[in-house]
Amino acid sequence: MKLIEKAGVPQSFRDFMAQESAEWQPRYRDLNADERTDLLNALLTEQNGLCCYCESTLTSGEHEPDFHIEHFRPQSTYPHLALEYVNLHCSCQRTLKRGAPRHCGNAKGEWFDEKLMLSPLDPDTENRFRYLGDGNIEPADEADDPARITIEKLDLNGSKLQRMRKSYLNAIFPDEFDKAALKKIVDSLMAEKEGGTLDPYPSAVKSIYRTT
C-alpha cells in the first residue's frame, strides 16, 4: 500500500462546500457530475493513477472510469466525514460483473476498525507489508494483526490480484540479470511518468527487487 500525500482540493469542491449555510448543509449525494469528476481527477492525480489499496493502474472502461471515490471511514458510521477530503481516496472496481471477486474498497464495504485498518496516509503503512515473488502479500511482522486484518478485509491476496501482480512482475523482470541491470529496471519502474502516473505495484517492486 503506497503512501498517499493529499494535495490541493479541487476548486469546484471548495465552491460546493462554501455554499453551506444555516438553511443548507452540503451532503455527499448533492455533488453534481462535474464536481464528482473534478474530485475523482484530483484523487487520481495525487495517487499517481493507482488504486489507493492494491496499487493496480486505474483505468477507464468503455463508457466510464472503472474506479470510484472511496470513503476510507465509511459514510454509514462516519457521516460527518463524508465530505472530508482527507477521508476520500480513489479505489478500483467501480463496476462488477455478477460473480466477480470483490477487493479493495468493494471488499471492505462498510467495515472499519480504527485499531485494525491501516491507512494509506500513514507513512509507516507501506513498511508493514512484505511482497512475495508469487504475487502474495503478507505482514512484514508476523505479529502485526492490523496488517494481517487489512490484507484480509481488502482481499489483497485474492486470486485475481495475486495473479495480476505475479504476471506483471514476471513480465517485467528477466530470469537472470546483474545488479546494474536490476537497478536500471527498478529505477525506471519507480519513476513518475509523463502526467505524474506510476507503473503499477511500486510497493511490490521496491520490496522484492530494490537493491539500494
Side-chain angles (χ1 to χ4, degrees), residues 131-135 169 182 203-210:
Y131 296 80
L132 308 179
D134 63 2
L169 295 172
L182 173 61
S203 294
V205 170
K206 180 169 66 175
S207 175
I208 300 171
Y209 296 104
R210 174 148 280 182

Coordinates of all heavy atoms in Angstrom, one line a residue, residues 131-135 169 182 203-210:
Y131 N 6.1 -8.2 0.2 CA 5.6 -8.6 -1.1 C 6.4 -9.8 -1.6 O 7.7 -9.7 -1.5 CB 5.6 -7.5 -2.1 CG 4.6 -6.4 -1.7 CD1 5.0 -5.4 -0.8 CD2 3.4 -6.3 -2.3 CE1 4.1 -4.4 -0.4 CE2 2.5 -5.3 -1.9 CZ 2.9 -4.3 -1.0 OH 2.0 -3.3 -0.6
L132 N 5.8 -10.8 -2.0 CA 6.5 -12.0 -2.5 C 6.4 -12.2 -4.0 O 5.6 -11.7 -4.7 CB 5.8 -13.3 -1.8 CG 5.6 -13.2 -0.3 CD1 4.9 -14.4 0.2 CD2 7.0 -13.0 0.4
G133 N 7.4 -12.9 -4.5 CA 7.5 -13.1 -5.9 C 6.4 -13.8 -6.6 O 6.1 -13.7 -7.8
D134 N 5.6 -14.6 -5.7 CA 4.4 -15.3 -6.3 C 3.2 -14.4 -6.3 O 2.1 -14.9 -6.7 CB 4.2 -16.6 -5.5 CG 3.8 -16.3 -4.0 OD1 3.7 -15.1 -3.6 OD2 3.6 -17.3 -3.3
G135 N 3.3 -13.1 -6.0 CA 2.2 -12.2 -6.1 C 1.5 -12.0 -4.8 O 0.5 -11.2 -4.8
L169 N 5.1 -8.8 -12.5 CA 6.5 -9.0 -12.1 C 7.2 -9.9 -13.0 O 8.4 -9.7 -13.4 CB 6.5 -9.5 -10.7 CG 6.0 -8.5 -9.6 CD1 6.0 -9.2 -8.3 CD2 6.8 -7.2 -9.6
L182 N 19.5 -4.7 -12.9 CA 18.3 -4.7 -12.0 C 18.0 -3.3 -11.5 O 16.9 -2.8 -11.5 CB 18.6 -5.6 -10.8 CG 17.6 -5.6 -9.6 CD1 16.2 -6.0 -10.2 CD2 18.0 -6.5 -8.5
S203 N 5.1 -0.8 -4.6 CA 5.5 -1.3 -3.3 C 6.1 -2.7 -3.5 O 7.0 -3.1 -2.8 CB 4.3 -1.3 -2.4 OG 3.9 0.0 -2.0
A204 N 5.5 -3.5 -4.4 CA 6.0 -4.9 -4.7 C 7.3 -4.8 -5.3 O 8.3 -5.6 -4.9 CB 5.0 -5.7 -5.5
V205 N 7.5 -3.9 -6.3 CA 8.8 -3.8 -7.0 C 9.8 -3.4 -6.0 O 11.0 -4.0 -5.9 CB 8.7 -2.8 -8.1 CG1 10.1 -2.4 -8.7 CG2 7.8 -3.3 -9.2
K206 N 9.5 -2.4 -5.1 CA 10.5 -1.9 -4.2 C 10.9 -3.0 -3.1 O 12.0 -3.2 -2.8 CB 10.0 -0.7 -3.5 CG 10.9 -0.1 -2.4 CD 10.5 1.3 -2.0 CE 9.2 1.3 -1.3 NZ 8.8 2.6 -0.7
S207 N 9.8 -3.7 -2.7 CA 10.0 -4.7 -1.6 C 10.9 -5.9 -2.1 O 11.7 -6.4 -1.4 CB 8.7 -5.2 -1.1 OG 8.8 -6.3 -0.2
I208 N 10.6 -6.3 -3.3 CA 11.3 -7.5 -3.8 C 12.6 -7.3 -4.5 O 13.6 -8.0 -4.3 CB 10.4 -8.3 -4.8 CG1 9.0 -8.7 -4.1 CG2 11.0 -9.5 -5.4 CD1 8.0 -9.2 -5.1
Y209 N 12.7 -6.2 -5.3 CA 13.8 -6.0 -6.2 C 14.8 -4.9 -5.9 O 15.9 -4.9 -6.4 CB 13.3 -5.9 -7.6 CG 12.6 -7.1 -8.1 CD1 11.2 -7.1 -8.2 CD2 13.3 -8.2 -8.5 CE1 10.5 -8.2 -8.7 CE2 12.6 -9.3 -9.0 CZ 11.2 -9.3 -9.1 OH 10.6 -10.4 -9.5
R210 N 14.4 -3.9 -5.1 CA 15.3 -2.8 -4.9 C 16.5 -3.2 -4.2 O 16.5 -3.9 -3.1 CB 14.6 -1.7 -4.1 CG 15.5 -0.5 -3.7 CD 14.7 0.8 -3.7 NE 14.6 1.4 -5.0 CZ 14.0 2.6 -5.3 NH1 13.5 3.3 -4.3 NH2 13.9 3.0 -6.5

